[in-house]
Amino acid sequence: MRLLRRWTGSHTRTLALGALFACACLSFASVTLHGATREARWCVRVVDGDTIVLDHGERVRLIGVDTPELHHPVKPVQYFAREARDRARELVGGNRVWLEYDQTRRDRYGRTLAYVFLADGTMLNLRLIEEGYGFAYTKYPFRAEYMARFRAAEQRARVGVRGLWATR
């Protein structure tokens, strides 16, 4: 009982503040895998299939994938847009993600451009294309090895009649 009393009050607050500080430090941790630095962050919201919002409100556009439009000022909601958003939400919503950057860090709208990785090492950008939720978006240059993988994944999704490529 005496020991329990010693850990109440200010000790508990100090311990809680220490734990909070450690969590805050870990939320900005970065690791190097296969020569590329990946920054750990939290996904707090999924805007659509190819855009997420991270802790501190940072908007991230997935490099090399284009999903149907859900929130466009002029265009109506496109076929399979909600499904793409829901799948992205299922994979990363509320979860820790790791970002890998390319040579261009921001798009013309000020969004961060990144490859987004899940806890198991799966690249979200590639997974959405493989499952037929988006197209390989090769209009703007990005890493050649990823571009080739994205194109091949789209081709496999088309041949496998998955997602967008399934009959309406």
Side-chain angles (χ1 to χ4, degrees):
M1 189 68 170
R2 260 183 161 159
L3 184 62
L4 184 60
R5 275 192 220 138
R6 288 173 62 185
W7 284 101
T8 59
S10 65
H11 293 293
T12 304
R13 281 191 295 271
T14 303
L15 217 64
L17 286 173
L20 184 62
F21 178 74
C23 288
C25 289
L26 288 174
S27 70
F28 290 103
S30 62
V31 293
T32 302
L33 297 171
H34 309 292
T37 300
R38 294 186 185 162
E39 180 183 355
R41 300 289 294 277
W42 290 95
C43 175
V44 296
R45 188 166 66 93
V46 174
V47 177
D48 58 25
D50 54 34
T51 306
I52 63 174
V53 178
L54 302 178
D55 42 14
H56 306 294
E58 182 180 3
R59 291 172 82 89
V60 174
R61 172 67 166 81
L62 305 181
I63 297 173
V65 60
D66 189 27
T67 61
E69 293 295 338
L70 186 60
H71 306 287
H72 194 279
V74 179
K75 297 178 185 177
V77 173
Q78 294 179 329
Y79 171 72
F80 225 68
R82 287 184 181 89
E83 291 85 349
R85 184 228 19 233
D86 292 347
R87 182 61 175 144
R89 186 180 287 156
E90 186 179 312
L91 292 168
V92 298
N95 295 325
R96 192 172 179 102
V97 295
W98 285 261
L99 305 181
E100 187 177 305
Y101 306 104
D102 211 315
Q103 56 198 36
T104 304
R105 189 75 180 249
R106 297 209 177 271
D107 68 6
R108 64 183 178 179
Y109 304 108
R111 297 175 296 189
T112 299
L113 298 171
Y115 305 101
V116 176
F117 291 84
L118 312 177
D120 66 0
T122 301
M123 185 195 300
L124 176 64
N125 315 44
L126 180 61
R127 180 113 174 236
L128 291 171
I129 297 168
E130 285 173 335
E131 294 179 358
Y133 290 100
F135 305 85
Y137 190 55
T138 58
K139 179 179 177 181
Y140 300 102
F142 59 94
R143 260 182 232 160
E145 69 269 19
Y146 287 164
M147 189 177 290
R149 289 171 64 191
F150 289 8
R151 285 180 172 150
E154 181 182 321
Q155 187 58 36
R156 287 191 306 274
R158 285 175 184 258
V159 170
V161 194
R162 290 191 295 269
L164 286 161
W165 319 116
T167 314
R168 290 187 191 196

